[in-house]
């Protein structure tokens, strides 16, 4: 039997690339989160992508919208459509820490050897929980806090996109057969999953396809 991995799958470009990368190496279980995000069409995309990929898919419900504090979970905060300095308002406090904690629990339950997450420290929005130091610290904590860790079988934390540009992420995905037209990355996609073309995530995605020399298959709302 192949080793098993838990893959965090949002339905966006990066996580879908990670799933394709992981499937070449592991038996995968995809984990997605309904956390009160502004656009739920990314979750619909994740469900469809997991089904097409033939992987087991679990959706975890967490109400981060009850806390607010981010443009992605609080409708009173507008999603910025111009580039910002510093940590932007689209940062969801502690989101990756929470998601990885659930992935850690899933890895213990399903006897997985690895957790795969599509964080990126090159073409990203400046979120503090997308840095190598964060993953290193979390992996150390996981070794101390899990049955597998204390029994000498620590989990691997796979971050295949960590040091790649968006263009190289797209190239990697194409090598693994990813159909990016089925992914949703926009922070404020409409009910049909069409992207705004203006938010930070859309700008990075657009530039990635341009730099990769690949036609952009994203469905955009009429401007």
């Amino acid at each position: 039997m192949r080793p098993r991995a838990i893959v965090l799958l949002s339905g966006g470009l990066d996580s879908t690339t990670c799933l394709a990368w992981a499937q070449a190496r592991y038996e995968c279980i995809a984990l997605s989160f309904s956390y009160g995000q502004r656009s739920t069409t990314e979750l619909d995309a994740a469900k469809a992508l997991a089904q097409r990929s033939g992987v087991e898919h679990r959706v975890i419900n967490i109400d981060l919208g009850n806390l607010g504090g981010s443009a992605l979970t609080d409708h009173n905060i507008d999603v910025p459509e111009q580039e910002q300095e510093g940590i932007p308002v689209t940062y969801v406090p502690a989101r990756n820490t929470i998601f990885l904690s659930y992935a850690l629990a899933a890895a213990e339950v399903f006897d997985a050897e690895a957790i795969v997450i599509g964080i990126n420290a090159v073409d990203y929005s400046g979120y503090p929980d997308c840095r190598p130091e964060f993953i290193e610290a979390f992996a150390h904590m996981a070794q101390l806090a899990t049955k597998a860790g204390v029994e000498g079988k620590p989990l691997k934390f796979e971050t295949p996109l960590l040091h790649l540009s968006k263009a190289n992420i797209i190239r990697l995905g194409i090598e693994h057969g990813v159909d990016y037209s089925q992914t949703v990355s926009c922070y404020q996609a409409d009910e049909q999953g069409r992207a705004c073309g203006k938010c930070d995530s859309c700008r990075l995605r657009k530039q990635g396809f341009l730099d990769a020399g690949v036609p952009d298959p994203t469905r955009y709302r009429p401007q």
Side-chain angles (χ1 to χ4, degrees):
M1 290 181 61
R2 294 202 303 166
R4 185 174 293 163
I6 306 297
V7 182
L8 297 185
L9 181 66
S10 71
L13 184 152
D14 291 348
S15 69
T16 303
T17 304
C18 270
L19 178 60
W21 177 91
Q23 282 195 281
R25 294 159 175 82
Y26 296 100
E27 175 192 339
C28 296
I29 297 172
L31 207 62
S32 300
F33 295 88
S34 176
Y35 63 91
Q37 60 264 56
R38 180 183 291 265
S39 174
T40 58
T41 52
E42 65 173 10
L43 194 58
D44 296 334
K47 292 174 182 176
L49 286 160
Q51 185 174 30
R52 278 194 294 271
S53 299
V55 300
E56 184 175 346
H57 185 221
R58 301 294 179 101
V59 178
I60 307 297
N61 295 299
I62 311 168
D63 188 9
L64 295 182
N66 189 43
L67 294 175
S70 166
L72 299 194
T73 56
D74 188 338
H75 287 267
N76 294 315
I77 303 174
D78 291 334
V79 173
E81 295 184 348
Q82 288 80 36
E83 190 171 348
Q84 295 183 296
E85 292 185 3
I87 298 172
V89 295
T90 50
Y91 163 65
V92 180
R95 181 177 62 178
N96 281 348
T97 304
I98 294 167
F99 288 0
L100 282 171
S101 296
Y102 273 91
L104 201 59
E108 293 256 87
V109 170
F110 295 110
D111 195 27
E113 295 184 12
I115 292 172
V116 184
I117 181 172
I119 63 172
N120 178 261
V122 180
D123 286 343
Y124 76 122
S125 300
Y127 299 154
D129 54 2
C130 287
R131 298 172 300 145
E133 305 95 296
F134 166 71
I135 283 292
E136 290 168 8
F138 194 94
H140 177 67
M141 180 279 295
Q143 187 170 351
L144 299 174
T146 59
K147 179 176 181 288
V150 299
E151 290 181 349
K153 297 179 291 184
L155 281 161
K156 291 172 62 179
F157 284 80
E158 300 272 28
T159 55
L161 313 185
L162 188 60
H163 300 293
L164 298 183
S165 67
K166 190 67 74 178
N168 283 334
I169 291 170
I170 290 167
R171 293 184 183 110
L172 177 65
I174 289 172
E175 287 175 10
H176 286 82
V178 173
D179 179 359
Y180 286 115
S181 70
Q182 303 303 308
T183 64
V184 176
S185 301
C186 180
Y187 290 149
Q188 49 187 354
D190 67 12
E191 292 181 356
Q192 299 175 50
R194 296 180 300 181
C196 72
K198 297 178 180 179
C199 69
D200 195 39
S201 183
C202 280
R203 289 197 301 273
L204 289 169
R205 180 176 168 126
K206 274 184 175 181
Q207 191 63 46
F209 281 108
L210 185 64
D211 292 344
V214 174
D216 184 354
T218 308
R219 295 182 299 123
Y220 292 102
R221 298 198 298 263
Q223 300 298 317

